[in-house]
């Protein structure tokens, strides 16, 4: 009585023998259990670490021996002038990078549209293959390439600029605080443009060719065809990615900024994710946790907002 | 009557500009790799003076032969290979099996568990709480830290589940009627059918593992756990210690013709770390594309 019976539509699971066997629904659950436990440990258990934001915790001393300080660390974010300025600076960098990212998210769209206008299929294939490679190397490697190409005394960029007479002596491009946002977004698209265009290229392939033929009969030129057929065909894809990037507005990720940061450019490169990392490494764990926690909460709120937006505009949720 | 724009002047101009733009961008994407490569095989003096720009000069391969003599590099290569191979095998196996289990509608509370898994793609506790947890689990200065947290990768599981759901159900049903259990069906019917998607996630995971470095920065203080990526980052940022390392390894190879410089070591290590990716990439490009498309369909 207590155990639910196996559904009738599944008679084979009883097999030949009549002895009691574990119902399939639990058998499946037990097989998945070790993996569910792993998921719990590595994705859910860390949430318990939020408790450290309420203690005067220093690494090495057990939590039971550290004083409970309530909201001290949260208040400290906005407590004094210097701290305020620092947080505002970091927020400014975060907003700038995310906004630049959203504005330039039309790049892969343009890339896909223009590439699909190229008739020669081998040229298309080569472009697609080679421009996707940078996506698969780490940000450390990107930085290593940048380091060599832009090095002051023997990097190819400075050598050429000097030879052409644009500059007299090498510029240290990587150790400067000016234009860092633009440099970062440029590197980002160098790495991601080819890869980012793949989804749009697939969407363009999915467009009914008869639409183009019909438009041609009506005398539409290339730009009219792009505007009235190609663009509407890829707008749904663009919208989904746009909404996701709104959900990720304060999550810039740490990899790129970690790789490119140095003492010279720190003021402009420190986005929220990198800031959390840096203060943790200055051994201020509770403060880093507090900032981390606020970030997670805001980030989930943004995601729900983005999801609602998607439901209202497209009648479809993205999560 | 039909106006063929590709024959008009503006059409030709458009094509010319289009080809040029794509040609230039493509060159920008691969020239850095080429530039680094020709510099590692050219005379180190010429390279240091900035003379190697478009083609190699005084070709030699000493840099590659000598760079592995540098203290710690062979160990880092071993760690990188270890995490890539073991980590990938485990996550592919787990994703295949769990993806299969999640296609079984009769699983107890299936939807709850599946949601619990998917939500983790959009939510994280944050870097520091994660670090503290890893620390409490004893996963600092521990090889397991590289492979355990990546075993469950929700995106991979979605890919497998979607792929299995698109297979004709009749194959599995006939096996079930023959009395085969879940494990038997998974091993003998499902796995052979899902090899394309398993190849895709193998490549995704291998590249991710090979490229990871933030976890090393966080979790490892003992140099024996350093990966190639992390060591390269150190070389880029600590010129002084790199120069000292080179001096040490140089004594052992006093006879060598080409003296290593911090620049040559950095470039050679970069090339060594890039090579595996450049080599596998052309073969697996189609898998990448397939992966992102299936992923996109499912959101």
């Amino acid at each position: 009585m207590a155990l639910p019976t196996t559904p009738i539509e599944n008679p084979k699971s009883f097999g030949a023998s009549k002895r009691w066997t574990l119902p399939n629904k639990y058998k499946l659950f037990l097989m998945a259990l070790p993996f569910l436990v792993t998921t719990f440990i590595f994705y859910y258990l860390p949430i318990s670490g939020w408790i450290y934001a309420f203690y005067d915790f220093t690494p090495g001393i057990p939590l039971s021996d550290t004083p409970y300080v309530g909201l001290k660390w949260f208040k400290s974010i906005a407590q004094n002038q210097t701290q305020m300025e620092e947080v505002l600076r970091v927020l400014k960098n975060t907003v700038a990078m995310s906004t630049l990212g959203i504005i330039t998210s039309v790049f892969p769209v343009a890339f896909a549209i223009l590439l699909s206008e190229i008739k020669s299929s081998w040229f298309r294939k080569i472009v697609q293959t080679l421009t996707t490679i940078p996506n698969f190397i780490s940000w450390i490697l990107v930085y290593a390439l940048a380091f060599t190409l832009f090095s002051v005394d023997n990097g190819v960029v400075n050598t050429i600029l000097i030879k052409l007479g644009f500059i007299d002596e090498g510029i240290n491009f990587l150790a400067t605080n000016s234009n860092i946002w633009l440099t970062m977004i440029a590197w980002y698209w160098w790495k991601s443009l080819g890869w980012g265009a793949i989804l749009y290229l697939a969407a363009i392939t999915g467009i009914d060719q008869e639409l183009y033929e019909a438009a041609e009969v009506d005398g539409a030129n290339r730009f009219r065809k792009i505007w009235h057929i190609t663009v509407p065909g890829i707008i749904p894809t663009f919208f989904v990615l746009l909404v996701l990037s709104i959900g990720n507005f304060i999550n810039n990720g740490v990899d790129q900024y970690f790789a490119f940061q140095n003492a010279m450019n720190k003021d402009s490169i420190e986005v929220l994710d990198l800031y959390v990392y840096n203060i943790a490494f200055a051994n201020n764990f509770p403060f880093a946790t507090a900032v981390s926690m606020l970030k997670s909460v805001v980030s989930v709120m943004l995601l729900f907002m983005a999801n609602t937006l998607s439901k209202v505009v497209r009648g479809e949720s993205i999560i | 009557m039909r106006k063929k724009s590709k024959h008009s002047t503006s059409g030709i101009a458009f094509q010319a500009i289009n080809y040029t733009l794509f040609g230039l961008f493509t060159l920008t994407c691969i020239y850095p790799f080429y530039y680094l490569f020709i510099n590692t095989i050219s005379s180190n003096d010429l390279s240091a003076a900035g003379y190697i720009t478009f083609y190699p000069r005084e070709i030699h391969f000493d840099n590659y032969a000598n760079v592995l003599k540098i203290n710690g590099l062979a160990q880092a290569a071993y760690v990188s290979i270890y995490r890539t191979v073991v980590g990938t095998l485990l996550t592919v196996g787990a994703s295949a099996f769990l993806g299969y289990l999640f296609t079984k509608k009769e699983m107890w509370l299936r939807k709850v568990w599946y949601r619990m898994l998917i939500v983790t793609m959009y939510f994280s506790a944050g870097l520091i709480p994660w670090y503290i947890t890893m620390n409490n689990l004893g996963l600092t200065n521990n090889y397991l830290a590289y492979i355990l947290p990546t075993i469950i990768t929700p995106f991979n599981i979605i890919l497998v589940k979607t792929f299995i759901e698109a297979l004709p159900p009749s194959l599995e049903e006939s096996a079930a009627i023959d009395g085969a259990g879940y494990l038997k069906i998974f091993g003998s019917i499902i796995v052979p059918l899902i090899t394309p998607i398993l190849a895709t996630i193998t490549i995704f995971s291998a590249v991710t593992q090979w490229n990871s470095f933030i976890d090393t920065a966080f979790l490892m203080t003992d140099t024996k756990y350093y990966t190639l990526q992390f060591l390269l980052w150190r070389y880029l940022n600590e010129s002084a210690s790199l120069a000292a390392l080179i001096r040490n390894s140089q004594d052992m190879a006093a006879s060598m013709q080409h003296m290593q410089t911090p620049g040559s070591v950095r470039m050679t290590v970069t090339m060594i770390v890039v090579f595996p990716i450049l080599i596998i990439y052309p073969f697996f490009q189609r898998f990448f594309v397939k992966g992102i498309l299936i992923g996109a369909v499912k959101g």
Side-chain angles (χ1 to χ4, degrees):
Chain A
M1 271 304 279
L3 279 167
T5 47
T6 317
I8 307 297
E9 69 264 23
N10 226 353
K12 67 243 177 192
S13 56
F14 285 108
S17 81
K18 287 217 164 78
R19 72 194 163 83
W20 185 85
T21 46
L22 189 67
N24 280 344
K25 53 192 274 190
Y26 296 119
K27 209 187 271 177
L28 283 162
F29 169 67
L30 282 180
M31 285 193 275
L33 189 61
F35 302 101
L36 298 177
V37 171
T38 313
T39 312
F40 177 79
I41 291 176
F42 290 108
Y43 292 101
Y44 287 89
L45 195 58
I47 298 172
S48 68
W50 282 4
I51 196 167
Y52 291 85
F54 303 97
Y55 286 84
D56 249 340
F57 177 72
T58 28
I61 300 166
L63 195 63
S64 49
D65 297 342
T66 38
Y68 174 80
V69 290
L71 293 176
K72 170 184 161 187
W73 294 108
F74 291 92
K75 285 179 189 152
S76 81
I77 295 174
Q79 205 165 39
N80 60 56
Q81 190 70 25
T82 354
Q83 188 57 53
M84 258 313 250
E85 274 166 17
E86 190 167 85
V87 170
L88 283 178
R89 172 179 64 81
V90 170
L91 282 178
K92 197 171 94 184
N93 292 335
T94 307
V95 170
M97 286 319 304
S98 296
T99 311
L100 275 175
I102 287 177
I103 292 170
T104 53
S105 62
V106 295
F107 284 2
V109 177
F111 184 97
I113 292 177
L114 291 175
L115 190 64
S116 66
E117 288 297 319
I118 281 180
K119 298 282 178 304
S120 149
S121 74
W122 66 264
F123 187 83
R124 270 206 316 266
K125 232 168 244 166
I126 285 184
V127 168
Q128 231 195 312
T129 305
L130 296 181
T131 55
T132 316
I133 288 179
N135 184 62
F136 293 101
I137 65 169
S138 66
W139 278 109
I140 294 287
L141 287 171
V142 174
Y143 179 66
L145 295 178
F147 194 96
T148 312
L149 265 82
F150 291 88
S151 120
V152 189
D153 23 273
N154 60 2
V156 61
V157 175
N158 274 316
T159 312
I160 288 179
L161 287 179
I162 291 171
K163 268 187 193 155
L164 292 177
F166 287 129
I167 51 175
D168 295 326
E169 54 183 66
I171 300 174
N172 198 346
F173 290 101
L174 295 174
T176 163
N177 205 23
S178 55
N179 300 324
I180 202 79
W181 296 341
L182 291 177
T183 319
M184 285 300 106
I185 202 79
W187 278 112
Y188 176 78
W189 286 118
W190 177 80
K191 192 177 188 296
S192 322
L193 187 52
W195 177 250
I198 287 182
L199 275 183
Y200 297 117
L201 284 165
I204 292 174
T205 320
I207 296 173
D208 191 352
Q209 285 305 308
E210 281 178 24
L211 289 174
Y212 291 103
E213 282 156 24
E216 222 163 277
V217 172
D218 290 345
N221 63 19
R222 183 194 309 277
F223 301 99
R224 288 189 154 270
K225 280 189 281 181
I226 290 176
W227 188 248
H228 292 290
I229 303 171
T230 316
V231 170
I234 55 182
I235 284 260
T237 311
F238 180 73
F239 185 79
V240 170
L241 296 182
L242 182 72
V243 166
L244 277 177
S245 64
I246 293 171
N248 275 322
F249 198 80
I250 57 169
N251 308 320
N252 304 95
V254 71
D255 292 26
Q256 179 182 2
Y257 307 97
F258 175 85
F260 276 87
Q261 84 162 329
N262 54 48
M264 306 300 294
N265 64 21
K266 198 178 155 199
D267 275 355
S268 307
I269 208 173
E270 222 174 17
V271 293
L272 210 40
D273 280 320
L274 182 63
Y275 179 64
V276 170
Y277 177 94
N278 285 342
I279 46 179
F281 263 63
N283 261 336
N284 196 344
F285 271 66
F287 184 63
T289 311
V291 176
S292 208
M293 197 173 154
L294 286 179
K295 198 181 146 282
S296 295
V297 171
V298 174
S299 172
V300 166
M301 277 159 44
L302 281 172
L303 187 69
F304 276 112
M305 270 168 55
N307 201 35
T308 314
L309 180 74
S310 172
K311 271 186 194 154
V312 170
V313 178
R314 288 180 66 233
E316 226 176 278
S317 79
I318 47 162
I319 310 173
Chain B
M1 182 190 144
R2 229 189 238 193
K3 199 179 151 202
K4 284 264 181 182
S5 56
K6 68 178 165 188
H7 292 310
S8 67
T9 331
S10 71
I12 292 167
F14 174 83
Q15 288 292 357
I17 294 171
N18 210 6
Y19 274 88
T20 315
L21 281 179
F22 277 110
L24 284 177
F25 182 67
T26 306
L27 279 181
T28 316
C29 283
I30 52 166
Y31 176 72
F33 299 101
Y34 175 75
Y35 174 79
L36 227 69
F37 180 66
I38 58 172
N39 270 280
T40 56
I41 59 168
S42 298
S43 150
N44 289 350
D45 297 336
L46 291 177
S47 168
Y51 287 127
I52 311 300
T53 311
F54 296 112
Y55 52 89
R57 283 160 71 178
E58 296 177 29
I59 293 175
H60 71 98
F61 294 96
D62 285 4
N63 285 332
Y64 288 91
N66 291 320
V67 80
L68 285 174
K69 288 181 190 144
I70 292 178
N71 217 352
L73 224 139
Q75 170 68 11
Y78 163 75
V79 176
S80 284
I81 293 170
Y82 154 84
R83 71 174 295 176
T84 304
V85 172
V86 180
T88 303
L89 284 178
L90 286 176
T91 188
V92 170
S95 310
F97 189 55
L98 200 54
Y100 166 69
L101 292 179
F102 275 133
T103 63
K104 297 280 148 248
K105 293 195 172 56
E106 60 266 31
M107 183 200 288
W108 181 59
L109 296 180
R110 179 183 74 134
K111 279 195 175 150
V112 175
W113 308 129
Y114 191 60
R115 286 235 173 92
M116 173 182 128
L117 185 77
I118 300 311
V119 165
T120 63
M121 296 209 299
Y122 300 101
F123 172 81
S124 91
L127 225 47
I128 306 313
W130 174 79
Y131 167 77
I132 293 171
T133 309
M134 293 293 280
N135 202 14
N136 290 343
L137 292 169
L139 291 175
T140 47
N141 285 328
N142 187 336
Y143 289 120
L144 290 175
Y146 286 138
I147 54 176
L148 292 183
T150 55
I151 286 183
I152 302 292
T153 307
F155 185 70
N156 291 345
I157 295 163
I158 295 178
L159 289 183
V160 174
K161 179 172 174 277
T162 314
F163 197 89
I164 296 178
E165 280 168 346
L167 295 173
S170 55
L171 295 164
E172 215 183 312
E173 278 164 10
S174 60
I177 289 166
D178 289 343
Y182 292 116
L183 287 175
K184 184 130 193 277
I185 293 177
F186 173 71
S188 58
I189 296 177
I190 299 296
V191 169
L193 287 173
I194 61 172
T195 41
I197 197 67
L198 293 188
T200 305
I201 58 175
T202 302
I203 299 307
F204 271 128
S205 330
V207 171
T208 311
Q209 280 285 5
W210 185 256
N211 279 338
S212 295
F213 60 87
I214 287 291
D215 50 3
T216 314
F218 258 100
L219 303 172
M220 310 300 176
T221 47
D222 187 337
T223 52
K224 78 171 182 186
Y225 300 102
Y226 283 0
T227 57
L228 280 179
Q229 301 274 351
F230 192 70
L231 212 58
L232 176 61
W233 179 76
R234 302 253 305 199
Y235 288 172
L236 293 168
N237 285 282
E238 294 159 23
S239 291
S241 65
L242 178 58
L245 273 173
I246 295 167
R247 269 196 304 281
N248 288 338
S249 71
Q250 211 86 344
D251 298 336
M252 295 186 289
S255 63
M256 71 194 227
Q257 198 189 344
H258 296 278
M259 296 302 264
Q260 287 178 289
T261 61
S264 78
V265 171
R266 273 188 218 111
M267 289 190 288
T268 312
V269 175
T270 309
M271 271 331 285
I272 289 176
V273 185
V274 159
F275 263 139
I277 291 185
L278 293 188
I279 289 165
I280 63 158
Y281 177 71
F283 299 105
F284 291 106
Q285 194 206 7
R286 60 200 178 96
F287 291 123
F288 284 128
V289 175
K290 187 181 287 169
I292 195 179
L293 292 182
I294 295 178
V297 170
K298 201 66 191 171

